Amino acid sequence: MAKKILVADDDPSIVDSLTMILEEEGYSVFAISKNNSTVVEVKTTKPDLVLLDIWIDKQDGREICQKLKNDGKTSKIPIVVISASDGAARMAIEAGADDFIAKPFEIDELLTKVQKNLS
Amino acid sequence: MESSIYITSLVFALVVNTFLAVYLIRTKEQSVALLSFVVFISLISVWGYPQFLINTFNIQNYIYTYLDKISVLGYTFIPVAFLVFTLAFTDRINSLRNFQNVLFIIVPPIIFLYLSWNTNLLEYHSPEYIVRTLWGISSPASTYFLVFLIWFETVMMASLVILIKFLIKTHNVLKRRQAFWIIAATLIPLIVGSVSDGIMPAFGKINFMPMAIPLTSIMGIIITYAVLKHDLFEFSPTSIMSSIGEGIVTIDDKGRIIFANEPAIKMLKTESKNLLGKFYHDIVKLRTEDGKVVKLSERPFNKALREGESTLGNYYVSGKNLRKFPVVMTVTPLIKNRKSIGATVTFRDVTKEKEIETSKDEFISIASHELKTPITALKLYTSHLERQLEKKGDLEGASALSKINYQTDRLLVLVGSLLNVSKIQTGKYTYNMSKFVAESIIKDAILTLRPITKGRKVLVKGSSKTVLYGDKEKLVQVLTNFITNALKYSNREIVVSIKEDKKYVTISVRDFGQGIKPSEVKKLFEKYYRATKDTTTQGLGIGLYVSKEYVIAHKGKIWVDSKLGSGSTFSFSIPIS
């Protein structure tokens, strides 16, 4: 059974390209472009991993991490944060995210981190 | 006969004086010098016209008393007006802030006026009686009047001395010419007057015709000539300073404001009377650009006063009822006899410039963020496609995509460095501090640059296992910048070396390129600076600027040694904590 990954990003082009790459690797991907529905979406789809893109100045990423990690139903789902800013990444890790990928990244790096956090 | 000559000259002088006063007040720019001068020549008329009436119509009745009183009023205040004029003209008006000086100028004429109007102590106050007394010829002249006359002459002479000193010292050609004419106008009546009214009686010629009035009027006429011919009241420093768009405040050695021009008064949202004589540091508060209040001892004006040092800087000015605004401020000491006797503060409101700068930084920040997202997506698509083609065995397609990928990476680096500049500018930069081995900076940098250094020789010399504390990623970026530059500006091998002493670990990159002109070395670390006339190499001119900021944040040093024709060595050193 293919592992389920939820990809959340503001930008449709990132969501689309990530979906393409991950599906190619045999994952089953759910994509959402609106952060505010991320928590609900995670609860309904119960993915094996969440790939969360957060913006530098937005608190949403941190809030989402906190909500997911504080909820018993979702707290065990690994969250990998993608961000262009170091500061945002640290904030996310502090809020409970499991790993972090800095933009721009190579496909190999992405896949390695995904695999690592799934196992 | 003599009487008619006297009256004619008197009338002539008075008419000229009256016209001059009207002319000056109507057509010339208002200033203390001008106004006091107009008062001076008007007082001559106030003195002269009653005398003229009394002498012409031989007035004897009660009207005489009134006319005489008016005449005395004019006469009494002539030296005051002339001294004020002299001080204003020679830019010494501030000496009137001294209370004793003011007393000396104002009290004697008031007492004299009071006595002459209300008592008969001064009944015989005509100069001929005084002169008689002076030369030992008995007369009933009043001692009070004698004292007054000495005061009168002292003030006039003092004015003259001030003017002569000014004439000798000033470098202002226009003012020197004006001073010359004023002195000429004052000296001639003074000499002629003292001979005719003061010395002649000593030889028995007591029944002289008092020359003082026509002579004083001649003085007015000569000054009129100077006004018309040499623009006596044009281009006064005060009016020039008011017309300058920058705020100018001059303070004395105690830090009190002695001058503020119109733009300064406007910018400080106050009135002249709220500034003059007040302590400058009470009125104008300074903050540095990062919002810290500048301590009194650190204030530029204090440095100017104590050390005679000029400063130029960016500050925020605030004060009572004053919203803070950004300024560029220059403070220059006023030096006299090698001592600071005050300072001049020049400042310009740069709110608009700041706004433009901030919006520019914000624009760069937003733009580079917005750019980063599509480029990242682009990179993901092309990488994905490259892998697909590789799997299918389409090596030609994969190679083309790899090149697209490489260019995408370059774009990302450029956008990244723009973002770094904007972060530094807006103070949004965060440093992720950690401990790491010094030489790992070199390893990481070379690893990052592998695609670029392909086919080029990069030698590494030395090693350092010392543990440093800092943001490793940023320091790797500094070294990456150095190496990228070295590769860009030279075709030969480059040498990366690392060494340490007790205090610092130093990493250098040596190239064997064309070298840098000494005149350009200083500018290298400025924002957006690129070597002049260099249009062939790429870059935005921000790599070294960002590097400098990073190294400074680590309390380190960054520098370049270069020799034209034989290459450059870029170095940075980080303190061992």
Side-chain angles (χ1 to χ4, degrees), chain B residues 142-162:
Chain B
S142 150
T143 329
Y144 298 97
F145 186 61
L146 186 63
V147 170
F148 173 75
L149 208 65
I150 290 168
W151 169 85
F152 188 104
E153 294 300 329
T154 308
V155 173
M156 292 304 275
M157 287 305 286
S159 305
L160 206 57
V161 169
I162 291 170

Side-chain angles (χ1 to χ4, degrees), chain B residues 307-320:
Chain B
E307 291 146 37
E309 195 181 292
S310 297
T311 43
L312 167 69
N314 286 284
Y315 299 98
Y316 280 92
V317 160
S318 59
K320 224 168 138 193

Side-chain angles (χ1 to χ4, degrees), chain A residues 16 24 90 104 106-108, chain B residues 379 381 383 387-388 432:
Chain A
D16 182 53
E24 178 72 23
R90 255 193 321 166
E106 301 287 336
I107 290 180
D108 286 339
Chain B
K379 190 176 150 62
Y381 285 126
S383 314
R387 288 159 71 101
Q388 299 282 77
N432 300 322

Side-chain angles (χ1 to χ4, degrees), chain B residues 80-268:
Chain B
V80 179
F82 190 67
L83 183 65
V84 172
F85 160 68
T86 304
L87 292 174
F89 178 79
T90 56
D91 299 321
R92 284 161 173 263
I93 197 79
N94 290 311
S95 57
L96 290 183
R97 282 188 201 299
N98 185 323
F99 193 56
Q100 286 173 342
N101 289 352
V102 176
L103 281 185
F104 175 73
I105 297 166
I106 287 298
V107 173
I110 290 174
I111 294 173
F112 174 73
L113 195 65
Y114 175 82
L115 292 176
S116 63
W117 277 11
N118 298 306
T119 71
N120 59 0
L121 283 171
L122 299 168
E123 207 167 312
Y124 302 97
H125 61 252
S126 88
E128 58 185 285
Y129 290 115
I130 301 303
V131 171
R132 278 182 189 218
T133 318
L134 277 175
W135 293 99
I137 307 159
S138 71
S139 92
S142 150
T143 329
Y144 298 97
F145 186 61
L146 186 63
V147 170
F148 173 75
L149 208 65
I150 290 168
W151 169 85
F152 188 104
E153 294 300 329
T154 308
V155 173
M156 292 304 275
M157 287 305 286
S159 305
L160 206 57
V161 169
I162 291 170
L163 278 170
I164 291 170
K165 267 173 81 177
F166 179 78
L167 174 75
I168 295 165
K169 280 201 173 161
T170 186
H171 296 291
N172 183 332
V173 179
L174 183 77
K175 277 229 149 186
R176 194 184 308 170
R177 201 160 53 208
Q178 294 167 348
F180 169 80
W181 280 103
I182 296 168
I183 292 165
T186 326
L187 264 185
I188 294 168
L190 222 73
I191 293 167
V192 178
S194 53
V195 169
S196 72
D197 296 3
I199 298 170
M200 295 304 274
F203 300 101
K205 304 197 177 214
I206 290 163
N207 295 322
F208 61 92
M209 187 55 70
M211 293 293 283
I213 291 179
L215 282 173
T216 319
S217 293
I218 287 168
M219 182 167 148
I221 293 165
I222 296 175
I223 294 178
T224 308
Y225 169 77
V227 167
L228 299 176
K229 179 93 181 164
H230 299 294
D231 280 340
L232 201 55
F233 296 101
E234 297 286 324
F235 310 119
S236 67
T238 314
S239 70
I240 292 170
M241 283 201 267
S242 288
S243 70
I244 293 173
E246 309 220 339
I248 300 170
V249 173
T250 305
I251 55 174
D252 66 7
D253 58 340
K254 304 252 174 13
R256 279 179 305 223
I257 298 172
I258 51 176
F259 170 80
N261 73 347
E262 279 304 315
I265 294 166
K266 258 191 202 158
M267 272 191 261
L268 298 173

Side-chain angles (χ1 to χ4, degrees), chain B residues 267-268 284-290 313-318 322-329 346-358:
Chain B
M267 272 191 261
L268 298 173
V284 179
K285 303 277 182 206
L286 274 198
R287 278 167 196 278
T288 56
E289 285 200 295
D290 45 14
N314 286 284
Y315 299 98
Y316 280 92
V317 160
S318 59
L322 190 66
R323 213 166 52 85
K324 72 168 188 177
F325 60 95
V327 296
V328 173
M329 182 179 272
T346 324
F347 58 100
R348 186 161 53 88
D349 186 341
V350 289
T351 308
K352 281 224 175 85
E353 286 91 329
K354 280 269 166 195
E355 279 170 9
I356 291 167
E357 207 176 298
T358 310

